[in-house]
CSV table of all heavy atoms in Angstrom, one decimal:
chain,number,residue,atom,x,y,z
O,134,LEU,N,-2.1,-3.3,34.8
O,134,LEU,CA,-0.9,-2.7,34.1
O,134,LEU,C,0.0,-3.8,33.5
O,134,LEU,O,0.4,-3.8,32.4
O,134,LEU,CB,-0.1,-1.8,35.0
O,134,LEU,CG,1.2,-1.2,34.5
O,134,LEU,CD1,0.8,-0.2,33.4
O,134,LEU,CD2,2.0,-0.5,35.5
O,135,LEU,N,0.2,-4.9,34.3
O,135,LEU,CA,1.0,-6.0,33.8
O,135,LEU,C,0.3,-6.7,32.7
O,135,LEU,O,0.9,-7.1,31.7
O,135,LEU,CB,1.2,-7.0,35.0
O,135,LEU,CG,2.1,-6.5,36.1
O,135,LEU,CD1,2.2,-7.6,37.2
O,135,LEU,CD2,3.5,-6.1,35.7
O,136,THR,N,-1.0,-6.8,32.8
O,136,THR,CA,-1.8,-7.5,31.7
O,136,THR,C,-1.6,-6.6,30.4
O,136,THR,O,-1.4,-7.2,29.3
O,136,THR,CB,-3.3,-7.6,32.1
O,136,THR,OG1,-3.4,-8.4,33.2
O,136,THR,CG2,-4.1,-8.1,30.9
O,137,TYR,N,-1.7,-5.3,30.5
O,137,TYR,CA,-1.6,-4.5,29.4
O,137,TYR,C,-0.2,-4.6,28.8
O,137,TYR,O,0.0,-4.7,27.5
O,137,TYR,CB,-1.8,-3.0,29.8
O,137,TYR,CG,-1.4,-2.0,28.7
O,137,TYR,CD1,-2.0,-2.0,27.5
O,137,TYR,CD2,-0.3,-1.1,28.9
O,137,TYR,CE1,-1.6,-1.1,26.5
O,137,TYR,CE2,0.1,-0.3,27.9
O,137,TYR,CZ,-0.6,-0.2,26.7
O,137,TYR,OH,-0.2,0.6,25.7
O,138,CYS,N,0.9,-4.6,29.6
O,138,CYS,CA,2.2,-4.8,29.1
O,138,CYS,C,2.4,-6.1,28.4
O,138,CYS,O,3.1,-6.2,27.3
O,138,CYS,CB,3.2,-4.6,30.2
O,138,CYS,SG,3.3,-3.0,30.9
O,139,HIS,N,1.8,-7.1,28.9
O,139,HIS,CA,2.0,-8.5,28.2
O,139,HIS,C,1.2,-8.5,26.9
O,139,HIS,O,1.7,-9.0,25.9
O,139,HIS,CB,1.4,-9.6,29.2
O,139,HIS,CG,2.4,-10.1,30.1
O,139,HIS,ND1,3.4,-11.0,29.8
O,139,HIS,CD2,2.7,-9.7,31.4
O,139,HIS,CE1,4.2,-11.2,30.9
O,139,HIS,NE2,3.7,-10.5,31.9
O,140,THR,N,0.0,-7.9,26.9
O,140,THR,CA,-0.8,-7.8,25.7
O,140,THR,C,-0.1,-7.0,24.6
O,140,THR,O,-0.1,-7.4,23.5
O,140,THR,CB,-2.2,-7.2,26.0
O,140,THR,OG1,-2.8,-7.9,27.0
O,140,THR,CG2,-3.0,-7.1,24.7
O,141,LYS,N,0.6,-6.0,25.0
O,141,LYS,CA,1.2,-5.1,24.1
O,141,LYS,C,2.6,-5.6,23.6
O,141,LYS,O,2.9,-5.4,22.4
O,141,LYS,CB,1.5,-3.7,24.8
O,141,LYS,CG,1.9,-2.6,23.8
O,141,LYS,CD,0.8,-2.1,23.0
O,141,LYS,CE,1.2,-0.9,22.1
O,141,LYS,NZ,0.2,-0.4,21.2
O,142,MET,N,3.3,-6.4,24.4
O,142,MET,CA,4.7,-6.6,24.1
O,142,MET,C,5.2,-8.1,24.2
O,142,MET,O,6.2,-8.4,23.6
O,142,MET,CB,5.6,-5.8,25.1
O,142,MET,CG,5.3,-4.3,25.1
O,142,MET,SD,6.2,-3.4,26.3
O,142,MET,CE,7.9,-3.4,25.6
O,143,ALA,N,4.4,-8.9,24.9
O,143,ALA,CA,5.0,-10.3,25.2
O,143,ALA,C,5.2,-11.1,24.0
O,143,ALA,O,6.1,-12.0,24.0
O,143,ALA,CB,4.0,-11.0,26.1
O,144,HIS,N,4.5,-10.8,22.9
O,144,HIS,CA,4.5,-11.7,21.7
O,144,HIS,C,5.3,-11.1,20.5
O,144,HIS,O,5.2,-11.6,19.4
O,144,HIS,CB,3.1,-12.2,21.3
O,144,HIS,CG,2.4,-12.9,22.4
O,144,HIS,ND1,2.7,-14.1,22.9
O,144,HIS,CD2,1.4,-12.4,23.2
O,144,HIS,CE1,1.9,-14.5,23.9
O,144,HIS,NE2,1.1,-13.4,24.1
O,145,ARG,N,5.9,-10.0,20.8
O,145,ARG,CA,6.7,-9.3,19.7
O,145,ARG,C,7.9,-10.1,19.4
O,145,ARG,O,8.5,-10.8,20.3
O,145,ARG,CB,7.1,-7.9,20.2
O,145,ARG,CG,5.9,-6.9,20.3
O,145,ARG,CD,6.5,-5.5,20.7
O,145,ARG,NE,7.5,-5.1,19.8
O,145,ARG,CZ,7.3,-4.4,18.6
O,145,ARG,NH1,6.0,-4.1,18.3
O,145,ARG,NH2,8.3,-4.0,17.9
O,146,GLU,N,8.3,-10.1,18.2
O,146,GLU,CA,9.5,-10.8,17.8
O,146,GLU,C,10.8,-10.0,17.8
O,146,GLU,O,11.9,-10.5,17.7
O,146,GLU,CB,9.3,-11.4,16.3
O,146,GLU,CG,8.2,-12.4,16.2
O,146,GLU,CD,8.1,-13.0,14.9
O,146,GLU,OE1,8.6,-12.4,13.9
O,146,GLU,OE2,7.5,-14.1,14.7
O,147,THR,N,10.7,-8.7,18.1
O,147,THR,CA,11.8,-7.9,18.3
O,147,THR,C,11.6,-7.1,19.6
O,147,THR,O,10.5,-6.9,20.1
O,147,THR,CB,12.0,-6.9,17.1
O,147,THR,OG1,10.8,-6.1,17.0
O,147,THR,CG2,12.3,-7.6,15.9
O,148,GLU,N,12.7,-6.5,20.2
O,148,GLU,CA,12.6,-5.8,21.4
O,148,GLU,C,12.0,-4.4,21.2
O,148,GLU,O,12.2,-3.8,20.1
O,148,GLU,CB,14.0,-5.6,22.1
O,148,GLU,CG,14.5,-6.9,22.7
O,148,GLU,CD,15.6,-6.6,23.7
O,148,GLU,OE1,15.8,-5.4,24.1
O,148,GLU,OE2,16.3,-7.6,24.1
O,149,GLN,N,11.2,-4.0,22.1
O,149,GLN,CA,10.6,-2.7,22.1
O,149,GLN,C,10.8,-2.0,23.5
O,149,GLN,O,10.6,-2.7,24.5
O,149,GLN,CB,9.1,-2.7,21.8
O,149,GLN,CG,8.5,-1.3,21.7
O,149,GLN,CD,7.0,-1.4,21.4
O,149,GLN,OE1,6.2,-1.8,22.2
O,149,GLN,NE2,6.6,-0.9,20.2
O,150,PHE,N,11.1,-0.8,23.5
O,150,PHE,CA,11.3,-0.1,24.8
O,150,PHE,C,10.2,1.0,24.9
O,150,PHE,O,10.0,1.8,24.1
O,150,PHE,CB,12.7,0.6,24.8
O,150,PHE,CG,13.0,1.3,26.1
O,150,PHE,CD1,13.3,0.7,27.2
O,150,PHE,CD2,12.9,2.7,26.1
O,150,PHE,CE1,13.6,1.4,28.4
O,150,PHE,CE2,13.2,3.4,27.3
O,150,PHE,CZ,13.6,2.7,28.5
O,151,ARG,N,9.4,0.9,26.0
O,151,ARG,CA,8.3,1.8,26.3
O,151,ARG,C,8.6,2.5,27.6
O,151,ARG,O,9.2,2.0,28.5
O,151,ARG,CB,7.0,1.1,26.3
O,151,ARG,CG,6.7,0.3,25.0
O,151,ARG,CD,5.3,-0.3,25.1
O,151,ARG,NE,4.3,0.8,24.9
O,151,ARG,CZ,3.9,1.3,23.6
O,151,ARG,NH1,4.5,0.7,22.6
O,151,ARG,NH2,3.1,2.2,23.5
O,152,VAL,N,8.0,3.7,27.7
O,152,VAL,CA,8.0,4.4,29.0
O,152,VAL,C,6.6,4.8,29.4
O,152,VAL,O,5.8,5.3,28.6
O,152,VAL,CB,8.9,5.7,28.9
O,152,VAL,CG1,9.0,6.4,30.2
O,152,VAL,CG2,10.3,5.4,28.4
O,153,LEU,N,6.3,4.5,30.7
O,153,LEU,CA,5.0,4.9,31.2
O,153,LEU,C,5.2,6.1,32.1
O,153,LEU,O,6.0,6.0,33.0
O,153,LEU,CB,4.4,3.7,32.1
O,153,LEU,CG,4.3,2.3,31.4
O,153,LEU,CD1,3.8,1.3,32.3
O,153,LEU,CD2,3.6,2.4,30.1
Side-chain angles (χ1 to χ4, degrees):
L134 180 66
L135 294 179
T136 297
Y137 168 65
C138 292
H139 276 278
T140 302
K141 190 74 175 177
M142 307 173 72
H144 304 287
R145 291 180 56 86
E146 295 184 340
T147 57
E148 285 197 15
Q149 183 184 66
F150 181 76
R151 305 187 72 84
V152 182
L153 309 179

